[in-house]
Amino acid sequence: MNPEQSFGQGGLNGFLDVDDLVDRIGLDDDDIAWRKAYIGFDAEDERRLSDLESLLRENQHQIADDFYDNVFQYSETRAIVDRSPKGVDALKETQRAYLVSLATGDYDQQFFANRARIGKLHELLDMPLKQYVGQYGVYYELLLERLDERVQQQVVDAIEAWAEEQQDDGGLGGLVSALGFSGDDEAGTLDESFEETVRAAVDDGMMDVLALLRLINLDMQIATETYVDSYAQRLEESIERRKRLAREVEADVQQPIEELHEASEAVATRAETISSHTATQATKTNRAATELGELSAAVEEVASVTDEVRQESERTERLTAEGVEAADGALSELEAIEDATTAVSQSVADLEERTREIDAVVDRLDALAERTTVLAKNAKIEAARTGGQGTSSQTMGVIADEVESFAERTKRDLAAIETAVEGVREDAIETVETTEETVDRIDDGTDRVRETMASLEEIHESAETTAVRMEDVAAATDQQARNVETTATTVEEIAGTADRVASAAESAAAASQEQTASLRNVGETVSRLTDDDGQDREPVYERAE
């Protein structure tokens, strides 16, 4: 197959829209004309390139082989070749086609569009720009080596043609004279025509070189621009992805950031509250430690008082036992009093009986006094009736008066006795009542003494139990005092821990506040997010395989 026919038919071409590429880089007829004018590429250069076609065709295989020999010397460029869907032979064939196309093109928009396509294909293979541009340096050496030989040959051919002309005009002597070997005064000086011939041949050869370099420069410009276009596309896509990512991130993160911001503020507030509570706790713990110290002293004092109470309990036990004994004696005395009271009651009853008997006697004496009074009155009456005559009448009268007087006095005495007896009876009744009340009270007192004895016995038992338990309390109090001392030590340690926790809480609050500030910065940064979204671009050469 003719290399020109296979040129540009590689497997990556399906991933490339040449028209779109040319349109993006602005490669139209006006742009191409400007580029040519800027570097001086004209129709004369086109003619000269056309003259180089035979040279390029004759050396295409050697140049392609030498070119890839240089490529394979470096692992970086060899890796690019390995990524190409074409094999090495196909690549060399493409290289030969490109070489020949330098001398056979029309150098129009289609020609340079093809050059843009070639540059883009290299970019699709992820060949770095430095390697692509560096290839031109290799090309320069390979091409200039052949062009140097051509220029030398052109100089030789021009000299030979000049020599033939000189020999035709003046024979061999004319040629010798032109070379400056004649014997006249101008000997040793080259003929101007010879110098002009050589210069003209060299200039012509250099113009061929310059024409080729100008075309390669146009090629390099356009290929480089495809790289720039690709970089610009990637940059635009990256910017767009960043913008899209920024919008998505801002939309997705804004609410969590706000929530986290609120949570951070809440954490800061709570941390401050915790710090405050912890400080209060530390204060209260210190106070508790102080109070525990005081309590420890109080417990020790209680332990001391407990010992005293235990001693008092033992004393109470003794006194209670003595009280029980005294209560037994008091009960015996009360029982004796009860017996005496019973005897008094009996005596009072006997007195009442005697009083009644006295009443009976008084009644009889009263009746007798009445009769005596009556008798005296009768005697007076009788004496009066007799006229008071005689001694017996007087005596009767005197007796009657005396009797009456006796009777009256007797009545008065009987009345007094009766009054006295009545008073004795009333006193006896009152004494009986009082005695009965006393008996009742003695009975109550006896019952209470018995109850007191029972209580005293219970108190005695309780005092014994209390004494035993007070010994246990004393031992427990001693243990409690030791425990309080241990607790006080622990509380002091807790107070220290609380202080450290308060400090840590303050640090946490400060850190949370810093976090809140950082979250604000994050929220602001997210809105200006420009980082790439990290999407990996699958190389085109992998999709072409």
Side-chain angles (χ1 to χ4, degrees), residues 89-113:
D89 292 338
L91 290 173
K92 289 183 178 182
E93 183 177 353
T94 301
Q95 191 65 48
R96 292 194 295 271
Y98 168 72
L99 187 61
V100 171
S101 70
L102 293 176
T104 59
D106 293 330
Y107 313 114
D108 55 5
Q109 199 271 347
Q110 184 61 35
F111 177 88
F112 289 107

Side-chain angles (χ1 to χ4, degrees), residues 59-277:
N59 292 275
Q60 59 178 323
H61 291 281
Q62 187 62 46
I63 291 176
D65 291 340
D66 292 343
F67 179 82
Y68 277 97
D69 286 344
N70 183 76
V71 168
F72 290 144
Q73 289 182 17
Y74 303 94
S75 58
E76 294 85 356
T77 51
R78 186 180 184 88
I80 303 299
V81 174
D82 293 338
R83 287 202 290 265
S84 174
K86 287 184 176 183
V88 176
D89 292 338
L91 290 173
K92 289 183 178 182
E93 183 177 353
T94 301
Q95 191 65 48
R96 292 194 295 271
Y98 168 72
L99 187 61
V100 171
S101 70
L102 293 176
T104 59
D106 293 330
Y107 313 114
D108 55 5
Q109 199 271 347
Q110 184 61 35
F111 177 88
F112 289 107
N114 193 41
R115 291 298 181 268
R117 181 183 59 79
I118 294 173
K120 184 63 177 178
L121 290 175
H122 283 81
E123 190 275 327
L124 291 177
L125 286 172
D126 285 340
M127 173 178 279
L129 183 59
K130 64 181 180 180
Q131 293 184 17
Y132 187 82
V133 174
Q135 292 180 140
Y136 289 98
V138 178
Y139 250 94
Y140 293 155
E141 182 179 357
L142 296 175
L143 290 174
L144 291 178
E145 182 180 349
R146 273 71 182 179
L147 288 173
D148 179 58
E149 294 176 357
R150 182 173 185 273
V151 170
Q152 291 181 23
Q153 186 61 46
Q154 286 177 337
V155 171
V156 170
D157 291 342
I159 290 173
E160 290 179 349
W162 174 82
E164 289 178 358
E165 290 178 0
Q166 294 298 322
Q167 190 172 5
D168 291 340
D169 292 341
L172 183 58
L175 177 60
V176 172
S177 176
L179 292 174
F181 297 117
S182 62
D184 55 20
D185 294 336
E186 295 180 357
T189 301
L190 285 173
D191 187 82
E192 291 182 1
S193 62
F194 177 78
E195 184 175 353
E196 290 175 359
T197 299
V198 173
R199 286 182 179 276
V202 171
D203 288 344
D204 185 64
M206 292 307 297
M207 291 303 294
D208 292 342
V209 171
L210 183 58
L212 184 60
L213 292 178
R214 284 171 176 165
L215 180 60
I216 293 177
N217 179 266
L218 290 171
D219 188 342
M220 185 187 302
Q221 288 182 36
I222 295 171
T224 302
E225 198 149 341
T226 62
Y227 271 81
V228 174
D229 173 72
S230 178
Y231 296 156
Q233 274 192 306
R234 291 181 186 178
L235 181 59
E236 291 174 359
E237 291 173 358
S238 178
I239 291 172
E240 182 59 32
R241 285 197 301 271
R242 290 186 189 120
K243 290 180 179 178
R244 185 176 65 255
L245 178 63
R247 291 191 295 270
E248 294 174 355
V249 170
E250 186 174 11
D252 294 342
V253 177
Q254 189 63 36
Q255 183 176 355
I257 285 179
E258 292 176 356
E259 294 175 353
L260 187 56
H261 175 69
E262 293 175 358
S264 297
E265 291 181 344
V267 168
T269 302
R270 291 176 183 174
E272 291 176 355
T273 303
I274 290 172
S275 177
S276 175
H277 290 339

